[in-house]
């Protein structure tokens, strides 16, 4: 593994989202002096907080899986996630409701889910679910270290026995076919393949390897931090501060000072911060602008679909809703075609409604409820432009409210006390490329060693982290990206060195 040469005593981390704070904690644990610079007035990045007339709204991700990755980051500085944040396991993890009026609760405990599948679709499908669950576990075990948790220097690193194991498991085939080999019920197939949307690719075109996202959701467990998702980066920042990090909020990075191939200082609106290395967690185009260079790619970068989000504080809620509820439309293939290829808004919407007050009522005023409605939509590269969304937003908001009322949330519109609508125009205004918060899609040409690297040629001591680089989109991959960035600077810890030791004899590991 290539690592940053020369001195790395003082590292400046640009950005205090999940990636930047993960990198900071791992760097601090390895004995580095760390300064974190964040343009916003507090930590969180995408996982921000909006105070909306007494409603405490998470502005970013609402699904937390794989908390062991957070445990690892806190433990690097002798701290503990669970001492700082109460994680509530969600049962069910999701509720899935379909156009035909049927519904299934998605449990992460095997026996409970098998019983639910048998109730929903019969004993044969329950047996298929148990075989699918076993396959998901094996698929994750093969990918965890070699593919998801690895720094790639070359596609040649894929030439490893684990690649043959992944192929033998069917991981190089198509996701929809892989799920369909276990489950015949088309509704259940959706429950275990909709996660491909996180990767920005329809199930019919996504690699089966991306079923690991379904493993995280439906096997490893879904959690909710009491106080909201924003409570997690707040706790990470406090752990970093207690470990000695210099946290500078409300300070924008304007340029990087260079001496040859090395960055020697980070220039902010408040002055110069000298450094030995830098971790950049900004959007990739902004990171490349700061570096004054961008990698040459054989194919044009493709971005994931975007989303319209309606944050609605209401005076009532609806018994049909779990903490996370998926409302599936009758259309499936057409929906993905619209939001990933033709650039149209969903003609038969599939929606995610998150009701955080189901688990933590303190996020709303007494007697009130908070609902987060997410509607996938095309990004601005292929769909309506930011300017068009300025005109389209209100009408689309009304259509979403009407759709929810058709799906059983009677009186949803009249129940709204406070609201905030976020469209691709808003994501673009925040600096997100193609008006999407989900960054670069996980097409084959943008996966693993083919994804934008976390090292940039021509700059020795800058490492990238975040959803645009390795390993990809989602809270767990972003936390891993921070750890991988730290390892580029410090070298992997002893346990990782031992695990990768065979690669040393093949000349694939070592500083350069």
């Amino acid at each position: 593994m290539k690592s940053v040469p020369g001195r790395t005593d003082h590292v400046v981390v640009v950005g205090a989202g999940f990636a930047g704070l993960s990198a900071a904690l791992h760097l601090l644990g390895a004995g580095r002096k760390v300064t974190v610079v964040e343009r916003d007035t507090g930590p969180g990045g995408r996982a921000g907080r909006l105070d909306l007339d007494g409603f405490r709204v998470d502005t970013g991700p609402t699904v937390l899986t794989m908390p062991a990755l957070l445990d690892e980051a806190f433990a690097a500085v002798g701290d503990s996630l669970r001492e700082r944040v109460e994680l509530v396991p969600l049962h069910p993890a999701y509720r899935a409701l379909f156009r035909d009026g049927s519904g299934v609760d998605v449990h992460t405990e095997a026996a409970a889910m098998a019983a639910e599948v048998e109730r929903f679709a019969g004993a044969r499908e329950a047996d298929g679910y148990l075989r699918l669950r076993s396959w998901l576990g094996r698929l994750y075990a093969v990918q965890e270290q070699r593919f998801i948790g690895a720094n790639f220097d070359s596609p040649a690193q894929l030439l490893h026995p684990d690649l043959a194991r992944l192929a033998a498991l069917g991981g190089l085939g198509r996701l929809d076919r892989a799920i369909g080999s276990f489950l015949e019920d088309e509704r259940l197939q959706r429950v275990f393949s909709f996660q491909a949307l996180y990767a920005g690719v329809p199930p019919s075109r996504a690699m089966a390897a991306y079923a690991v996202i379904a493993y995280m959701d439906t096997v490893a467990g879904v959690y909710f931090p009491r106080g909201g998702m924003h409570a997690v980066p707040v706790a990470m920042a406090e752990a970093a501060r207690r470990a000695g990090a210099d946290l500078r909020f409300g300070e924008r990075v304007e340029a990087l000072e260079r001496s040859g191939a090395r960055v020697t200082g980070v220039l902010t609106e408040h002055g110069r911060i000298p450094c030995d290395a830098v971790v950049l967690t900004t959007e990739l185009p902004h990171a490349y602008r700061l570096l004054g260079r961008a990698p040459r790619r054989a194919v044009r970068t493709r971005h994931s679909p975007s989303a319209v989000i309606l944050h609605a504080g209401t005076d009532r809620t609806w018994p049909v809703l779990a903490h996370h509820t998926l409302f599936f439309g009758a259309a499936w293939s057409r929906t993905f075609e619209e939001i990933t290829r033709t650039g149209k808004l969903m003609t038969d919407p599939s929606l995610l409604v998150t009701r955080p007050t189901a688990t933590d009522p303190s996020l709303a005023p007494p007697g009130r409820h908070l609902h987060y409605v997410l509607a996938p939509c095309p990004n601005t590269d292929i769909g309506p432009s930011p300017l068009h969304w300025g005109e389209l937003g209100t009408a689309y908001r009304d259509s979403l409210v009407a759709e929810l009322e058709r799906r059983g949330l009677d009186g949803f519109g009249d129940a709204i006390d406070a609201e905030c609508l976020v469209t691709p125009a808003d994501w673009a205004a925040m600096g997100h490329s193609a008006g999407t918060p989900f960054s670069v899609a996980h097409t084959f040409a943008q996966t693993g060693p083919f994804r934008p690297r976390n090292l940039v040629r021509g700059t020795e001591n800058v490492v990238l982290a975040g959803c645009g680089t390795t390993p990809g989109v989602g809270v767990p991959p972003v936390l891993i990206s921070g750890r991988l960035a730290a390892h580029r600077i410090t070298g992997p810890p002893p346990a990782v060195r031992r695990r990768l030791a065979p690669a040393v004899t093949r000349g694939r590991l070592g500083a350069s």
Side-chain angles (χ1 to χ4, degrees):
M1 181 191 78
K2 292 181 179 178
S3 56
V4 171
R7 289 186 56 178
T8 59
D9 297 341
H10 180 203
V11 184
V12 174
V13 177
V14 179
F18 279 119
L21 293 169
S22 172
L25 289 170
H26 285 287
L27 288 165
L28 289 161
R32 299 312 192 266
K33 177 183 176 183
V34 175
T35 300
V36 179
V37 185
E38 167 59 54
R39 67 180 180 180
D40 291 336
T41 56
R46 283 173 169 81
R49 167 60 55 80
L50 170 67
D51 291 318
L52 185 65
D53 295 340
F55 295 91
R56 298 160 61 201
V57 177
D58 283 319
T59 60
T62 62
V63 179
L64 179 63
T65 62
M66 309 300 288
L69 294 169
L70 284 165
D71 290 334
E72 182 184 43
F74 279 90
V77 294
D79 212 310
S80 169
L81 166 66
R82 283 173 170 79
E83 288 182 6
R84 292 187 174 276
V85 180
E86 180 187 355
L87 295 185
V88 182
L90 298 183
H91 303 296
Y94 295 95
R95 175 167 294 156
L97 302 176
F98 302 92
R99 277 289 204 181
D100 63 4
S102 62
V104 61
D105 282 351
V106 180
H107 300 282
T108 53
E109 198 278 324
M113 187 58 187
E116 177 70 354
V117 171
E118 183 169 357
R119 177 201 65 78
F120 180 73
R124 183 174 177 176
E125 290 295 271
D127 178 68
Y129 158 72
L130 291 173
R131 290 185 290 109
L132 170 62
R133 182 185 179 93
S134 174
W135 177 74
L136 290 172
R138 286 179 282 134
L139 193 71
Y140 179 76
V142 167
Q143 294 188 73
E144 179 185 10
Q145 299 299 336
R146 182 63 54 180
F147 303 111
I148 300 172
N151 271 312
F152 284 100
D153 297 322
S154 164
Q157 285 177 252
L158 290 175
L159 303 178
H160 183 275
D162 281 346
L163 182 63
R165 296 184 184 101
L166 182 62
L169 285 169
L172 303 184
R174 293 300 176 211
L175 177 62
D176 59 349
R177 294 176 187 171
I179 300 299
S181 70
F182 297 100
L183 299 169
E184 294 182 5
D185 191 291
E186 187 265 348
R187 298 165 299 174
L188 290 174
Q189 290 175 13
R190 294 188 188 189
V191 168
F192 290 94
S193 64
F194 81 90
Q195 296 88 352
L197 186 60
Y198 300 157
V201 186
S204 61
R205 299 203 306 271
M207 290 174 58
Y210 280 109
V212 295
I213 309 176
Y215 168 86
M216 296 175 185
D217 273 3
T218 67
V219 177
V222 176
Y223 299 81
F224 186 72
R226 199 168 296 281
M229 286 288 288
H230 182 65
V232 177
V234 169
M236 294 175 77
E238 178 58 19
R241 185 193 65 78
R242 290 191 62 178
D246 178 10
L247 304 178
R248 304 189 182 187
F249 297 118
E251 190 166 350
R252 185 181 298 271
V253 171
E254 297 181 337
L256 301 177
E257 178 185 88
R258 300 176 68 100
S259 177
R262 292 185 73 85
V263 169
T264 56
V266 174
L267 307 180
T268 79
E269 55 191 328
H270 297 155
R272 176 181 182 271
I273 306 172
C275 62
D276 299 311
V278 177
V279 176
L280 288 178
T281 72
T282 62
E283 282 281 294
L284 286 180
H286 183 56
Y288 295 147
R289 282 194 295 272
L290 288 172
L291 291 168
R293 62 200 68 204
R296 293 187 295 273
R297 292 183 58 82
V299 295
R300 181 177 65 88
T301 299
R302 288 180 54 188
H303 287 83
S304 296
S306 186
V308 172
I309 296 175
L310 173 62
H311 300 289
T314 64
D315 63 11
R316 76 194 82 158
T317 191
W318 292 262
V320 71
L321 295 176
H323 187 111
H324 295 297
T325 303
L326 293 157
F327 288 92
F328 286 107
W332 188 239
S333 297
R334 187 178 78 216
T335 294
F336 280 100
E337 185 75 10
E338 288 168 342
I339 63 177
T340 66
R341 288 199 164 180
T342 64
K344 297 179 180 178
L345 299 178
M346 294 181 291
T347 52
D348 183 14
S350 289
L351 307 171
L352 169 64
V353 177
T354 295
R355 183 170 59 115
T357 44
T359 305
D360 186 356
S362 73
L363 296 174
R368 295 296 189 265
H369 306 270
L370 184 57
H371 301 85
Y372 170 115
V373 182
L374 185 149
C377 70
N379 64 48
T380 57
D381 280 348
I382 66 169
S385 69
L387 183 62
H388 189 188
W389 271 109
E391 306 166 357
L392 180 63
T394 300
Y396 192 63
R397 174 264 184 210
D398 292 343
S399 73
L400 288 178
V401 170
E403 186 67 33
L404 289 170
E405 292 180 341
R406 282 192 292 270
R407 303 288 183 96
L409 305 190
D410 297 330
F412 186 83
D414 290 340
I416 295 176
D417 282 343
E419 67 180 278
C420 175
L421 184 73
V422 184
T423 74
D426 299 297
W427 300 122
M430 295 175 202
H432 297 308
S433 301
T436 173
F438 304 116
S439 193
V440 178
H442 285 264
T443 61
F444 178 79
Q446 296 176 168
T447 295
F450 309 111
R451 197 164 180 81
R453 305 261 182 93
N454 58 5
L455 293 179
V456 179
R457 284 192 186 133
T459 305
E460 290 183 349
N461 62 336
V462 174
V463 189
L464 307 182
C467 56
T469 186
T470 305
V473 179
V475 174
V478 165
L479 291 168
I480 292 170
S481 81
R483 183 186 71 198
L484 294 178
H487 288 176
R488 288 288 195 188
I489 293 169
T490 67
V496 176
R497 291 192 191 103
R498 287 194 297 272
R499 187 170 62 244
L500 298 180
V504 176
T505 61
R506 295 190 295 272
R508 294 180 189 164
L509 185 68
S512 63

